[in-house]
Amino acid sequence: MVQDKNNGNNKENNSNFENVHWADNSAQRVLEQFPNENVYTVASGITPSGYIHIGNFREVITTELVRRALEHKGVKTKFIYSWDSYDAFRKVPKDVPSNWEKYLRMPVGNVPNPFNSQALTYGQHFIELFEEETSVFNFPVEFQKQHEIQTSGVYANSIKEVLNNKHIVIEELNKYRGEDQQLPLSWWPLDVYDDITQKDTNEIIEFDGEYTITYKVKEEGELEGVVKSVNFKDEPRVKLRWKADWPMRWNHFKVCFEPGGKDHSTPGSSYTVGKEIVKRIFNREAPVYTMYDFVLLKGQGGKISSSKGGALRLKDVLEVYTPEMVLFLFAGTRPNSEIHISFDIDVIKLYEDFDKLERLYFGLEEEKNEKQRVNKIRQYELSLPNGVEIPKELPIQPSFRHLTVLAQTHNFEFEKIEEYYRDELKTDFDKRRLQERFECAKNWLEEYAPDEFKFSIVETLSLVTSEEEKAILYLKESLQKSQSLDILISYFKSIKDTISMDMKDFFRNCYMVLIQKEKGPKLSSFVFENKEKFLELLSTPYSLDDSKYEQIDNTHNYEKSIFSSLNLRTGLVVGVEEHKESENLLVVHIRVNQEAQNEDIRQIVFGSDNEYSKEDLIDKKVVVLTNLKYTNFKGVESQGMIVACQDTTQNKFGILFSDLNVGECLKIVREGGEEVTNSQEEIKKEVFLQSGLRAEEGVIYFEDVKIEGVRGDRNLTGNII
């Protein structure tokens, strides 16, 4: 039950909402299924066969959040994380020398380390990396290495029980196998590692019903065909196969909760088979289970693989997101929903979303829906790492966007950032948060931020045009007179009357002189917060030269490409209806001009056999080719075309959605200058199809130039049609 804190905002939940958060709901299911446990054990695990990526981390965090929810309900908990290091080394990743093939089928916990690290083995290398990465969260987890536990003999009696009931395992597996794939009664759910080859390439011949296995060596070489015996109680070097091993360990460790990915959740998968095996052989209910969906990179699709190399790791995410932000992302998303990790400007919004959630917790934001309010409060509580107490009052919330400006203004010197926030740093929590967010903002600027967020303040003035001089003299005078930001803004509002310059030209001239870019941070707060710095800069000597941009301007005299012959703009879908003469066509009404609310609405006929419904389109911003020659489809005029990507390899089709303003045209910027798709000349569809526009995993390109502000739905790769 959420405790009463901070102006009474977090009053006790209505009992109807006590388990509204998914972690609390899962915890309640655990208590109902296992009402009499002294300690509630939650479990997770993975084979350390490659880098543990952010998708794998979702299993860890799902387990931990349910453990915290159980603890919140007043019961004792234990979190065990199994490193399945006794699994066989199945393939050589691309970043490992090819001669490591000689170690295939040995336990990954025994394979030599090919990496430049202090780890003793291949598996230990990945184990140490991940345990270090997760240490910032202070998870109370007991890491278990299965190559140590399996070879200790503690599973011997359980393995014996499974082998003596192998017919149950075979029955459960055969339920999901075709008639021509049925396992015979001679099949064994066990692998034996040979004492000489150390590999599991062996054929089991006989089991004596106690602890002795007779097997034949199948590994090519001198020992091939040799028959051996091993007593796995005295010499434990056997391992149950996964679908029998998992339920055996559920029983051994009395596991009450364990999540799994999609691949463990389908009929015939590990969990569906395992829950029957553990019940029939060990007379124990399977753990409460939650399926978790994939973690995807924004702009990419598909499952992340740790064996392919280059997969997104937790450490990569922590370079841009603080630990509390990572927890916020996972706590706020139900496990059965995909999570898209963003490294673009969405990062700024996510930090803003967290700060809004925190203000809600402290009673400074409102949420009229009580169920949503309770859910969000729990999300916030679960977003703070273990061992971090919830502050007694709203802590510092340094804006991520503002930090990107401050960091660059002060040349990434944290001491100056700390000085800027000095009066707001009241607790160690505040200091730690500022430090963490600063480091993340710095990393984001260096690695991921779009160019428009990056700038560098010039050290001295040099050449300026007469128009720029007029702007900076007015800026300097205004700064000197302004004792507050509001006063400075009032001076800016009178620019046109004072120096006869449009405000947008004033801003551009100032930016060009100060940071040598046409756009930059909000000018008023940018210069006022660094008043002394900019007054000093504006007092440095300079020379007038109205020809300084002539050489640059001449570069714009280039031959326009086919891109400029198009009129591709953002349109808002304001209505959708079925075509009266065809069930496979929709008539879509799209506003393509921001100014003309009702005047410039195009009627476009759109094929509905590509899995888009009315609901998928209404109120969406799409890319429209507006200068296409009008065409008649079964009696209805189509005044343009909704642009999409076609992936012929997957036979899929994805609309181009837009983040730009309604009516805004697509454009590209390259060395030759800027090209905008605002042509008024009518074209045929053949011209558009020859334009060379393409999509790569949802990112849209003209030639080799990325088009900003638009994205292909379904993250497809193919031609734009």
Side-chain angles (χ1 to χ4, degrees):
M1 190 170 290
V2 178
Q3 297 176 354
D4 187 347
K5 302 176 188 265
N6 306 301
N7 302 320
N9 180 59
N10 299 334
K11 58 189 176 183
E12 292 187 353
N13 295 342
N14 183 303
S15 60
N16 293 330
F17 302 147
E18 186 172 354
N19 298 309
V20 67
H21 191 275
W22 65 261
D24 294 318
N25 183 271
S26 294
Q28 185 61 32
R29 289 166 52 208
V30 171
L31 295 178
E32 291 172 358
Q33 183 162 315
F34 300 98
N36 301 313
E37 300 290 314
N38 293 324
V39 176
Y40 285 82
T41 300
V42 299
S44 179
I46 194 173
T47 304
S49 58
Y51 292 103
I52 315 304
H53 56 66
I54 192 65
N56 304 136
F57 177 73
R58 187 168 198 179
E59 180 171 316
V60 182
I61 192 59
T62 300
T63 308
E64 167 58 13
L65 292 175
V66 172
R67 186 205 66 78
R68 290 175 66 171
L70 283 165
E71 193 172 68
H72 187 71
K73 292 179 179 293
V75 300
K76 293 182 178 180
T77 62
K78 181 179 182 180
F79 181 2
I80 58 175
Y81 189 83
S82 173
W83 288 113
D84 293 338
S85 49
Y86 208 50
D87 287 356
F89 182 46
R90 296 184 296 110
K91 63 180 179 180
V92 180
K94 63 182 182 180
D95 58 343
V96 172
S98 59
N99 63 354
W100 250 246
E101 289 183 353
K102 60 187 175 185
Y103 302 115
L104 292 176
R105 307 310 308 179
M106 288 175 56
V108 293
N110 294 351
V111 173
N113 178 15
F115 306 104
N116 184 25
S117 70
Q118 299 300 311
L120 295 178
T121 68
Y122 174 87
Q124 188 64 26
H125 171 76
F126 300 112
I127 289 172
E128 291 179 0
L129 287 176
F130 188 68
E131 290 186 8
E132 181 181 357
E133 289 174 11
T134 57
S135 63
V136 297
F137 298 101
N138 300 313
F139 295 153
V141 58
E142 177 186 310
F143 289 106
Q144 299 179 343
K145 299 184 181 73
Q146 286 300 319
H147 74 282
E148 296 176 353
I149 297 177
Q150 295 270 8
T151 56
S152 71
V154 297
Y155 295 150
N157 290 333
S158 296
I159 292 174
K160 173 185 172 182
E161 190 74 13
V162 172
L163 294 181
N164 281 321
N165 290 279
K166 75 164 184 171
H167 64 283
I168 293 176
V169 179
I170 293 173
E171 286 173 10
E172 293 301 328
L173 290 172
N174 279 341
K175 286 180 182 179
Y176 304 96
R177 301 173 73 91
E179 291 185 6
D180 59 341
Q181 295 179 320
Q182 294 287 295
L183 297 172
L185 290 176
S186 59
W187 179 84
W188 293 94
L190 187 79
D191 288 315
V192 181
Y193 285 106
D194 184 64
D195 57 335
I196 303 299
T197 68
Q198 299 185 53
K199 299 185 177 184
D200 67 353
T201 48
N202 304 295
E203 177 187 348
I204 295 177
I205 299 173
E206 186 180 29
F207 170 54
D208 69 351
E210 289 296 323
Y211 300 99
T212 300
I213 294 289
T214 302
Y215 67 94
K216 181 189 294 185
V217 177
K218 303 290 287 184
E219 181 72 10
E220 294 182 2
E222 296 180 359
L223 295 176
E224 185 177 6
V226 173
V227 176
K228 296 184 177 184
S229 294
V230 58
N231 183 308
F232 58 78
K233 186 173 185 179
D234 298 333
E235 191 181 354
R237 48 182 173 87
V238 303
K239 177 186 178 298
L240 289 172
R241 294 191 176 180
W242 173 241
K243 290 185 180 181
D245 183 57
W246 202 18
M248 180 275 289
R249 284 194 262 156
W250 288 341
N251 178 69
H252 184 87
F253 292 107
K254 308 305 178 195
V255 177
C256 300
F257 175 83
E258 184 161 5
K262 280 185 173 181
D263 48 349
H264 292 310
S265 310
T266 57
S269 63
S270 307
Y271 182 77
T272 54
V273 171
K275 68 179 181 180
E276 299 300 328
I277 291 175
V278 73
K279 187 173 184 178
R280 293 182 65 186
I281 295 180
F282 297 105
N283 195 32
R284 180 176 173 82
E285 292 294 325
V288 170
Y289 180 81
T290 293
M291 185 275 288
Y292 60 87
D293 211 328
F294 298 141
V295 177
L296 308 174
L297 299 182
K298 184 183 175 186
Q300 294 187 357
K303 181 180 177 182
I304 301 171
S305 172
S306 60
S307 61
K308 293 180 180 179
L312 183 70
R313 290 166 53 188
L314 177 59
K315 79 172 187 65
D316 300 319
V317 177
L318 286 169
E319 288 179 354
V320 173
Y321 294 98
T322 63
E324 64 187 6
M325 282 297 301
V326 173
L327 292 171
F328 163 71
L329 291 173
F330 286 95
T333 308
R334 299 187 68 85
N336 61 356
S337 299
E338 289 182 352
I339 289 181
H340 292 258
I341 302 290
S342 299
F343 288 86
D344 57 10
I345 60 174
D346 279 358
V347 172
I348 294 174
K349 183 181 183 302
L350 286 168
Y351 273 91
E352 291 171 349
D353 289 345
F354 175 84
D355 288 346
K356 182 177 180 180
L357 177 71
E358 187 170 59
R359 291 193 297 273
L360 172 70
Y361 182 87
F362 286 95
L364 302 175
E365 293 276 351
E366 290 187 3
E367 172 57 68
K368 294 181 180 179
N369 185 307
E370 178 65 8
K371 184 176 180 180
Q372 287 295 322
R373 188 189 72 83
V374 174
N375 184 50
K376 289 178 179 179
I377 286 172
R378 281 297 285 145
Q379 182 187 356
Y380 176 73
E381 292 173 338
L382 292 169
S383 296
L384 298 184
N386 286 306
V388 177
E389 292 186 7
I390 297 175
K392 295 180 180 180
E393 58 184 28
L394 182 71
I396 189 174
Q397 292 188 325
S399 161
F400 192 87
R401 182 189 294 271
H402 193 202
L403 277 174
T404 64
V405 176
L406 290 175
Q408 295 177 95
T409 302
H410 297 294
N411 296 318
F412 298 99
E413 296 180 32
F414 179 68
E415 294 75 14
K416 294 182 179 179
I417 307 298
E418 199 171 30
E419 177 63 23
Y420 177 87
Y421 286 104
R422 180 181 56 186
D423 295 339
E424 298 179 56
L425 297 174
K426 300 175 182 178
T427 66
D428 290 340
F429 186 102
D430 291 338
K431 294 175 183 177
R432 181 172 61 250
R433 175 176 281 183
L434 178 61
Q435 175 82 55
E436 289 177 346
R437 288 198 180 186
F438 166 77
E439 293 296 338
C440 287
K442 178 175 180 288
N443 293 334
W444 184 70
L445 285 166
E446 291 175 346
E447 299 293 335
Y448 305 105
D451 285 341
E452 59 261 33
F453 282 85
K454 301 177 183 179
F455 66 86
S456 177
I457 301 172
V458 299
E459 295 183 1
T460 60
L461 304 182
S462 53
L463 297 178
V464 299
T465 66
S466 54
E467 285 294 292
E468 289 172 346
E469 180 186 41
K470 188 189 300 185
I472 62 174
L473 288 176
Y474 184 78
L475 175 62
K476 180 180 178 182
E477 181 182 0
S478 301
L479 262 180
Q480 290 171 331
K481 293 179 179 179
S482 299
Q483 299 304 311
S484 71
L485 180 59
D486 289 340
I487 295 175
L488 180 62
I489 293 173
S490 70
Y491 280 121
F492 284 1
K493 290 180 178 178
S494 62
I495 288 170
K496 190 165 188 177
D497 294 334
T498 308
I499 62 172
S500 301
M501 183 180 291
D502 288 338
M503 188 176 291
K504 66 177 183 178
D505 292 331
F506 170 76
F507 288 155
R508 182 179 59 80
N509 285 324
C510 289
Y511 288 131
M512 288 300 293
V513 172
L514 301 178
I515 61 175
Q516 297 182 337
K517 298 182 73 171
E518 291 192 351
K519 295 181 180 180
K522 187 176 181 180
L523 187 63
S524 56
S525 55
F526 181 45
V527 295
F528 187 78
E529 290 177 353
N530 304 280
K531 185 175 180 179
E532 298 304 320
K533 181 184 184 77
F534 281 110
L535 285 176
E536 181 179 350
L537 172 60
L538 293 169
S539 298
T540 59
Y542 60 86
S543 301
L544 281 174
D545 185 356
D546 283 323
S547 66
K548 63 179 282 191
Y549 296 121
E550 285 184 4
Q551 185 175 359
I552 298 175
D553 290 339
N554 287 337
T555 64
H556 290 268
N557 297 322
Y558 60 93
E559 183 179 350
K560 298 285 186 179
S561 71
I562 193 172
F563 189 76
S564 299
S565 69
L566 310 175
N567 194 315
L568 291 168
R569 63 179 59 224
T570 298
L572 177 67
V573 178
V574 296
V576 184
E577 59 193 45
E578 294 180 358
H579 194 296
K580 294 180 180 180
E581 301 297 327
S582 175
E583 62 181 14
N584 294 325
L585 295 175
L586 295 174
V587 180
V588 186
H589 302 279
I590 305 175
R591 179 161 58 83
V592 295
N593 191 318
Q594 180 68 43
E595 305 300 329
Q597 293 292 324
N598 298 308
E599 297 175 9
D600 198 357
I601 294 180
R602 299 293 181 97
Q603 173 181 279
I604 294 177
V605 179
F606 178 71
S608 61
D609 56 352
N610 47 55
E611 300 180 356
Y612 283 96
S613 65
K614 295 180 183 179
E615 292 73 21
D616 294 330
L617 298 174
I618 195 70
D619 294 330
K620 298 295 193 303
K621 289 194 293 185
V622 299
V623 176
V624 182
L625 179 63
T626 61
N627 66 328
L628 181 68
K629 183 178 180 180
Y630 290 2
T631 308
N632 189 289
F633 289 91
K634 293 185 179 293
V636 177
E637 185 178 58
S638 185
Q639 302 165 340
M641 183 176 73
I642 297 175
V643 181
C645 168
Q646 184 177 35
D647 188 335
T648 55
T649 62
Q650 302 183 54
N651 195 27
K652 289 185 178 181
F653 178 97
I655 288 174
L656 266 61
F657 289 115
S658 177
D659 296 324
L660 303 174
N661 295 323
V662 175
E664 188 172 352
C665 293
L666 274 58
K667 66 180 180 181
I668 57 172
V669 180
R670 48 186 178 178
E671 288 185 4
E674 180 180 272
E675 287 190 63
V676 181
T677 58
N678 60 359
S679 174
Q680 301 302 311
E681 184 177 345
E682 185 180 84
I683 65 169
K684 295 182 179 180
K685 188 172 181 179
E686 291 75 15
V687 174
F688 174 70
L689 294 177
Q690 295 171 6
S691 66
L693 289 166
R694 72 185 195 284
E696 292 184 9
E697 296 183 334
V699 180
I700 313 304
Y701 293 91
F702 173 72
E703 296 179 349
D704 293 325
V705 182
K706 178 181 176 182
I707 303 176
E708 301 290 350
V710 296
R711 64 193 186 284
D713 190 27
R714 300 171 180 168
N715 299 319
L716 301 181
T717 296
N719 293 326
I720 301 301
I721 60 172

